[in-house]
Amino acid sequence: MARVRKGAGRPAPLRVLHVAAECFPLVKTGGLADVVAALPAAQRAAGLDVRLLLPAYPALRQALAGTVEVAPIGAAFGAARVALLRGTLPGSDVPTYLIDAPWLYDRPGNPYLGPDGHEWADNLQRFGLLGWTAAQIAAGGLDPEWTPAVVHAHDWHAALVPVYLAARGTAGAQGAHARTVLTVHNLAYQGRFPLERFGELGLPAWMAGPAGVEFHGDLRLLKGGLMFADRITTVSPTYSREILAPAEGHELDDVLRHRADRLSGITNGIDDAVWNPATDPAIAATFDASDLAGKAACKLALQRELGLASQSGAPLLGVVSRLTPQKGLDLLLSVLPQWLGAGGQVAVLGSGDPALEHAWRAAAQAAPDAVGVHIGYDEGLAHRMVAGCDLIGVPSRFEPCGLTQMYGLRYGTLPVVHRVGGLADTVVDADEAALREDRATGFVFGAATPDALARALRHALDGWHHPAAWQQVVRRAMAQDTSWRVPAARYAALYAEAVAQG
Ligand code: ADP
C-alpha cells in the first residue's frame, strides 16, 4: 500500500542553499553582503526552504545562535580541524551553516585581505573549502536531514561549487541532481591564482585545462564556475548584455558568449526594512513621500555633522562608495569647481584607493563649508547621507547593479548616474518626455567623461531651481518598487526552470 503523507499532493517547498563569503551586517565589503542578507530572507518569506552557507569568520561564529554541530569534516584544505555548524544569525530566520575551520577563517579584519592590504596567501584554500563544502552538502553527504535542490553560489568566492559538483558527477547520494546557479555580482573580481596551485583543490587533472578552471595560464575560479553552472545570472539585465562584449567582459566575454543561453540578468532589490525613511533609526527625523519635512531636518543635521554651511537652498550631492577607479569619483573631482561655483555642496563617504582618498581630503580642506569628506566605513553615516542629501551620485565607469542609487530613490534623494549596468535599469532620466509622462526619477548621463557628468549636474541644478518639477520627480522616485519582492520571484522562476530542464 502506498504510504500517504500528511500534506501529500502539495509540493514540498524548493530547497535552496545560498553560498557566499559575506553577509550584512557582520561581514561586509560591498553590495554582495546586502544581497546575501536580504535575498534568502525574501525567498524564505515567499515560501522557499532556504539556507545559507558562509565561512565561520569570528564575527559570524560569535553571533551564531542555537549552534549545533551538523558534521565533523576533519582535515581539509590545509586545516587540521573542520566542522559544519548550523544556527541562525541575529535578525535573521534563515538557517545558516558556518564552516568552522579556525586555521583558515578565524582571523580579524577584511574577509579577503590581510592587514598589509594584500590578499590572504591561503585564499585558494579558504574559498576552495567553501565551494567544496557546499558541493558536499548538495550531494547529500553532510547534513543527513537536508539536501538542497538548488545551490546558489555568489561571486568567485563560491564559484567552485558547480566545479566540485561537476567533478563528482551531478548525481547526489539519493540520485538527486542539485542544480547550480552562479550569480556574478562583479565580473572584475575573478579569483586568480597560479596554476601550480591547482593540486590544492583536489579536482581531477583534466580540470587544470581550458575545459576546467584554467584560463590564460592561471587558475580563475570564476571562469570555472561559469563553465559548469546550470544557470548564470548577473545583477541587472543591462550588465548581463554588456559583459558579452570585450569592453566589459574582463577577458571572460568569450566564455560568457559560449554560455549565453544560460545567462540572464535580475536586478537586485534593497532591504526595505533596513532602508526605510519612515522608520530609519539612524537618521535625524523620519519622513515619507506624503510629508518631506523630516528630510529637510535630515539635511540640516547632515550639514552640521559634516561642517558644511547650513543652507537649505544649496543642492547637496552625496556619494557613498568604495573609492576605486570603477566608481568614477575622479570624474566628480574634475567637475567639482563647476558644481561648487554654481552653489552646490558635496558630501563623500568612502575608502579605498589612497590617491583618491588623498584627493578628496584635499578638496574638503580647500572648501570646508561646501565639501564634507569622511574617509572610512560608517553604516550610520551612510544612512544619514542618503537621507540628508538632495542628490546621490553614482558616476561609475561600469556598475553591475549598484545599490546606493536605489537607496536614493527610496529616500527621495535623486540619483545622478552613468547610463551603464544596473544604473541604466533603475533610474529614468528627467528629460522632457519622462517629465511630461511622470516617469522621471533622476539624472542620467551617457559617457564616463567630466563633460557628460557636468551636463547632468547642470540639468540637476536646473531641476533644483524648479521646485514643483523637483517634487514631482522626488515623489516618482519614492514610489518605485525597489524591494526584493520582484527579484525574489524572478530567482524562484529561474530555479524552477533549472530544476525542470537542467
Ligand atoms: P559595490 O558592491 O561595488 O561596492 P554597491 O553599490 O553594489 O557597490 O554596494 C555598496 C554597498 O556598500 C552599499 O550598501 C553602500 O551603502 C555600502 N558602502 C560603500 N562604501 C561605504 C562606506 N564607506 N560606508 C558605509 N557604507 C558603504
Short mmCIF file of all heavy atoms in Angstrom, two decimals, residues 28-32 34 186 268 275 320-322 326-327 349-351 374 376-379 382 399-405 407, ligand 1:
data_model
loop_
_atom_site.label_atom_id
_atom_site.label_comp_id
_atom_site.label_asym_id
_atom_site.label_seq_id
_atom_site.Cartn_x
_atom_site.Cartn_y
_atom_site.Cartn_z
N LYS A 28 30.96 42.60 5.73
CA LYS A 28 30.54 43.31 4.52
C LYS A 28 31.68 44.11 3.94
O LYS A 28 32.32 44.88 4.65
CB LYS A 28 29.36 44.24 4.85
CG LYS A 28 29.04 45.23 3.73
CD LYS A 28 27.70 45.91 3.90
CE LYS A 28 27.57 47.10 2.97
NZ LYS A 28 26.24 47.69 2.91
N THR A 29 31.95 43.90 2.64
CA THR A 29 32.86 44.82 1.96
C THR A 29 32.13 45.56 0.84
O THR A 29 32.66 46.52 0.31
CB THR A 29 34.09 44.11 1.35
OG1 THR A 29 33.68 43.38 0.20
CG2 THR A 29 34.77 43.19 2.33
N GLY A 30 30.94 45.10 0.47
CA GLY A 30 30.22 45.78 -0.61
C GLY A 30 28.81 45.25 -0.74
O GLY A 30 28.29 44.59 0.19
N GLY A 31 28.20 45.53 -1.89
CA GLY A 31 26.80 45.21 -2.10
C GLY A 31 26.49 43.71 -1.99
O GLY A 31 25.36 43.33 -1.66
N LEU A 32 27.48 42.86 -2.27
CA LEU A 32 27.28 41.42 -2.15
C LEU A 32 26.69 41.05 -0.78
O LEU A 32 25.76 40.25 -0.68
CB LEU A 32 28.63 40.71 -2.35
CG LEU A 32 28.68 39.22 -2.02
CD1 LEU A 32 27.79 38.42 -2.95
CD2 LEU A 32 30.12 38.71 -2.09
N ASP A 34 24.88 42.83 1.24
CA ASP A 34 23.47 43.23 1.36
C ASP A 34 22.57 42.20 0.66
O ASP A 34 21.52 41.82 1.18
CB ASP A 34 23.25 44.60 0.71
CG ASP A 34 24.09 45.69 1.36
OD1 ASP A 34 25.32 45.65 1.19
OD2 ASP A 34 23.53 46.55 2.03
N ASN A 186 30.13 41.07 -9.67
CA ASN A 186 31.08 41.98 -10.31
C ASN A 186 32.11 41.13 -11.04
O ASN A 186 32.92 40.46 -10.42
CB ASN A 186 31.76 42.87 -9.26
CG ASN A 186 32.55 43.99 -9.89
OD1 ASN A 186 33.00 43.89 -11.04
ND2 ASN A 186 32.74 45.07 -9.15
N ASN A 268 18.96 43.58 -8.60
CA ASN A 268 18.86 43.46 -7.14
C ASN A 268 17.72 44.31 -6.59
O ASN A 268 17.33 45.31 -7.19
CB ASN A 268 20.14 43.98 -6.48
CG ASN A 268 21.29 43.02 -6.62
OD1 ASN A 268 21.10 41.81 -6.78
ND2 ASN A 268 22.50 43.54 -6.54
N TRP A 275 16.42 49.97 4.89
CA TRP A 275 16.46 51.25 4.18
C TRP A 275 15.03 51.77 4.02
O TRP A 275 14.42 51.64 2.96
CB TRP A 275 17.16 51.09 2.83
CG TRP A 275 18.62 50.81 3.00
CD1 TRP A 275 19.23 49.60 3.02
CD2 TRP A 275 19.66 51.78 3.20
NE1 TRP A 275 20.58 49.75 3.22
CE2 TRP A 275 20.87 51.08 3.34
CE3 TRP A 275 19.69 53.19 3.28
CZ2 TRP A 275 22.09 51.72 3.55
CZ3 TRP A 275 20.90 53.82 3.48
CH2 TRP A 275 22.09 53.09 3.61
N VAL A 320 28.25 57.61 -1.51
CA VAL A 320 28.66 56.57 -0.55
C VAL A 320 29.23 55.45 -1.39
O VAL A 320 28.51 54.79 -2.13
CB VAL A 320 27.46 56.05 0.26
CG1 VAL A 320 27.91 54.96 1.23
CG2 VAL A 320 26.77 57.18 1.01
N SER A 321 30.55 55.24 -1.29
CA SER A 321 31.15 54.35 -2.28
C SER A 321 32.53 53.87 -1.89
O SER A 321 33.26 54.55 -1.16
CB SER A 321 31.28 55.14 -3.60
OG SER A 321 31.83 54.34 -4.61
N ARG A 322 32.88 52.70 -2.41
CA ARG A 322 34.29 52.34 -2.41
C ARG A 322 34.99 53.34 -3.33
O ARG A 322 34.43 53.76 -4.35
CB ARG A 322 34.48 50.93 -2.98
CG ARG A 322 33.94 49.83 -2.09
CD ARG A 322 34.24 48.44 -2.66
NE ARG A 322 33.50 48.18 -3.88
CZ ARG A 322 34.04 47.89 -5.06
NH1 ARG A 322 35.36 47.83 -5.17
NH2 ARG A 322 33.31 47.66 -6.12
N GLN A 326 36.76 52.09 -10.68
CA GLN A 326 35.42 51.73 -11.20
C GLN A 326 34.38 52.78 -10.89
O GLN A 326 33.50 53.07 -11.69
CB GLN A 326 34.98 50.39 -10.58
CG GLN A 326 33.55 49.98 -10.98
CD GLN A 326 32.93 48.92 -10.07
OE1 GLN A 326 33.64 48.19 -9.38
NE2 GLN A 326 31.62 48.83 -10.07
N LYS A 327 34.46 53.35 -9.70
CA LYS A 327 33.35 54.17 -9.20
C LYS A 327 33.33 55.59 -9.76
O LYS A 327 32.40 56.35 -9.49
CB LYS A 327 33.36 54.17 -7.67
CG LYS A 327 33.20 52.78 -7.07
CD LYS A 327 31.81 52.19 -7.36
CE LYS A 327 31.62 50.82 -6.72
NZ LYS A 327 30.28 50.26 -6.92
N LEU A 349 31.40 59.82 1.43
CA LEU A 349 31.75 58.80 2.42
C LEU A 349 32.33 57.61 1.67
O LEU A 349 31.65 57.03 0.81
CB LEU A 349 30.49 58.35 3.19
CG LEU A 349 30.63 57.07 4.03
CD1 LEU A 349 31.69 57.22 5.13
CD2 LEU A 349 29.28 56.68 4.64
N GLY A 350 33.58 57.27 1.95
CA GLY A 350 34.15 56.14 1.23
C GLY A 350 35.57 55.87 1.66
O GLY A 350 36.16 56.63 2.43
N SER A 351 36.10 54.78 1.17
CA SER A 351 37.51 54.46 1.40
C SER A 351 37.97 53.56 0.28
O SER A 351 37.17 52.98 -0.44
CB SER A 351 37.69 53.78 2.76
OG SER A 351 37.02 52.54 2.75
N HIS A 374 34.28 62.07 4.55
CA HIS A 374 34.59 61.15 5.65
C HIS A 374 35.22 59.91 5.02
O HIS A 374 34.56 59.17 4.29
CB HIS A 374 33.32 60.79 6.41
CG HIS A 374 33.58 59.90 7.58
ND1 HIS A 374 33.74 60.39 8.87
CD2 HIS A 374 33.73 58.57 7.67
CE1 HIS A 374 33.99 59.38 9.68
NE2 HIS A 374 33.98 58.26 8.98
N GLY A 376 36.46 56.33 5.37
CA GLY A 376 36.23 55.22 6.30
C GLY A 376 34.94 54.52 5.92
O GLY A 376 34.33 54.83 4.90
N TYR A 377 34.57 53.57 6.76
CA TYR A 377 33.34 52.82 6.53
C TYR A 377 32.41 53.10 7.69
O TYR A 377 32.77 52.87 8.84
CB TYR A 377 33.65 51.32 6.42
CG TYR A 377 32.46 50.56 5.95
CD1 TYR A 377 32.27 50.32 4.60
CD2 TYR A 377 31.50 50.14 6.85
CE1 TYR A 377 31.13 49.67 4.15
CE2 TYR A 377 30.37 49.48 6.41
CZ TYR A 377 30.19 49.24 5.07
OH TYR A 377 29.07 48.61 4.63
N ASP A 378 31.21 53.62 7.43
CA ASP A 378 30.32 54.02 8.51
C ASP A 378 28.88 53.82 8.08
O ASP A 378 28.32 54.62 7.31
CB ASP A 378 30.60 55.50 8.86
CG ASP A 378 29.84 55.95 10.10
OD1 ASP A 378 28.75 55.42 10.37
OD2 ASP A 378 30.36 56.84 10.79
N GLU A 379 28.30 52.74 8.57
CA GLU A 379 26.93 52.37 8.17
C GLU A 379 25.92 53.47 8.55
O GLU A 379 25.06 53.85 7.75
CB GLU A 379 26.58 51.05 8.87
CG GLU A 379 25.47 50.27 8.26
CD GLU A 379 25.77 49.68 6.88
OE1 GLU A 379 26.89 49.18 6.64
OE2 GLU A 379 24.88 49.76 6.05
N ALA A 382 26.22 56.45 6.37
CA ALA A 382 25.66 56.15 5.04
C ALA A 382 24.16 56.44 5.04
O ALA A 382 23.63 57.07 4.11
CB ALA A 382 25.93 54.70 4.66
N GLU A 399 28.91 49.39 -13.72
CA GLU A 399 28.21 49.13 -12.45
C GLU A 399 27.25 47.96 -12.64
O GLU A 399 26.20 48.10 -13.26
CB GLU A 399 27.45 50.37 -12.00
CG GLU A 399 26.93 50.29 -10.58
CD GLU A 399 28.04 50.02 -9.56
OE1 GLU A 399 28.80 50.94 -9.20
OE2 GLU A 399 28.14 48.84 -9.15
N PRO A 400 27.63 46.78 -12.13
CA PRO A 400 26.76 45.60 -12.33
C PRO A 400 25.31 45.87 -11.90
O PRO A 400 24.38 45.56 -12.63
CB PRO A 400 27.42 44.54 -11.44
CG PRO A 400 28.88 44.94 -11.42
CD PRO A 400 28.88 46.44 -11.44
N CYS A 401 25.12 46.42 -10.72
CA CYS A 401 23.77 46.83 -10.32
C CYS A 401 23.84 48.19 -9.64
O CYS A 401 23.28 49.16 -10.10
CB CYS A 401 23.12 45.80 -9.39
SG CYS A 401 21.46 46.34 -8.90
N GLY A 402 24.59 48.24 -8.52
CA GLY A 402 24.61 49.47 -7.74
C GLY A 402 23.45 49.46 -6.77
O GLY A 402 22.32 49.11 -7.13
N LEU A 403 23.72 49.79 -5.54
CA LEU A 403 22.66 49.84 -4.53
C LEU A 403 22.35 51.26 -4.10
O LEU A 403 21.20 51.59 -3.80
CB LEU A 403 23.07 49.01 -3.31
CG LEU A 403 23.21 47.50 -3.55
CD1 LEU A 403 23.71 46.81 -2.28
CD2 LEU A 403 21.88 46.90 -3.98
N THR A 404 23.36 52.12 -4.06
CA THR A 404 23.13 53.42 -3.43
C THR A 404 22.14 54.27 -4.23
O THR A 404 21.42 55.07 -3.65
CB THR A 404 24.44 54.20 -3.19
OG1 THR A 404 25.10 54.41 -4.42
CG2 THR A 404 25.35 53.45 -2.24
N GLN A 405 22.08 54.07 -5.56
CA GLN A 405 21.07 54.83 -6.31
C GLN A 405 19.67 54.37 -5.93
O GLN A 405 18.72 55.16 -5.94
CB GLN A 405 21.31 54.72 -7.83
CG GLN A 405 20.75 53.50 -8.52
CD GLN A 405 21.63 52.26 -8.32
OE1 GLN A 405 22.58 52.28 -7.55
NE2 GLN A 405 21.32 51.17 -9.00
N TYR A 407 18.90 53.20 -2.83
CA TYR A 407 18.64 53.82 -1.54
C TYR A 407 18.16 55.26 -1.78
O TYR A 407 17.23 55.73 -1.13
CB TYR A 407 19.91 53.89 -0.67
CG TYR A 407 20.61 52.57 -0.37
CD1 TYR A 407 21.97 52.54 -0.07
CD2 TYR A 407 19.91 51.38 -0.38
CE1 TYR A 407 22.61 51.35 0.22
CE2 TYR A 407 20.55 50.18 -0.10
CZ TYR A 407 21.91 50.18 0.19
OH TYR A 407 22.55 49.01 0.47
P1 ADP B 1 29.92 47.65 -4.59
O1 ADP B 1 29.36 46.34 -4.17
O2 ADP B 1 30.58 47.64 -5.94
O3 ADP B 1 30.80 48.28 -3.56
P2 ADP B 1 27.18 48.60 -4.41
O4 ADP B 1 26.57 49.93 -4.72
O5 ADP B 1 26.53 47.40 -5.01
O6 ADP B 1 28.71 48.69 -4.78
O7 ADP B 1 27.15 48.37 -2.84
C1 ADP B 1 27.90 49.15 -1.97
C2 ADP B 1 27.35 48.95 -0.57
O8 ADP B 1 28.33 49.30 0.37
C3 ADP B 1 26.15 49.83 -0.29
O9 ADP B 1 25.34 49.19 0.67
C4 ADP B 1 26.81 51.07 0.30
O10 ADP B 1 25.93 51.80 1.12
C5 ADP B 1 27.92 50.44 1.10
N1 ADP B 1 29.08 51.29 1.30
C6 ADP B 1 30.09 51.54 0.42
N2 ADP B 1 31.03 52.31 0.99
C7 ADP B 1 30.60 52.57 2.25
C8 ADP B 1 31.15 53.32 3.34
N3 ADP B 1 32.31 53.95 3.23
N4 ADP B 1 30.45 53.37 4.49
C9 ADP B 1 29.25 52.73 4.60
N5 ADP B 1 28.70 52.01 3.61
C10 ADP B 1 29.36 51.93 2.45
#
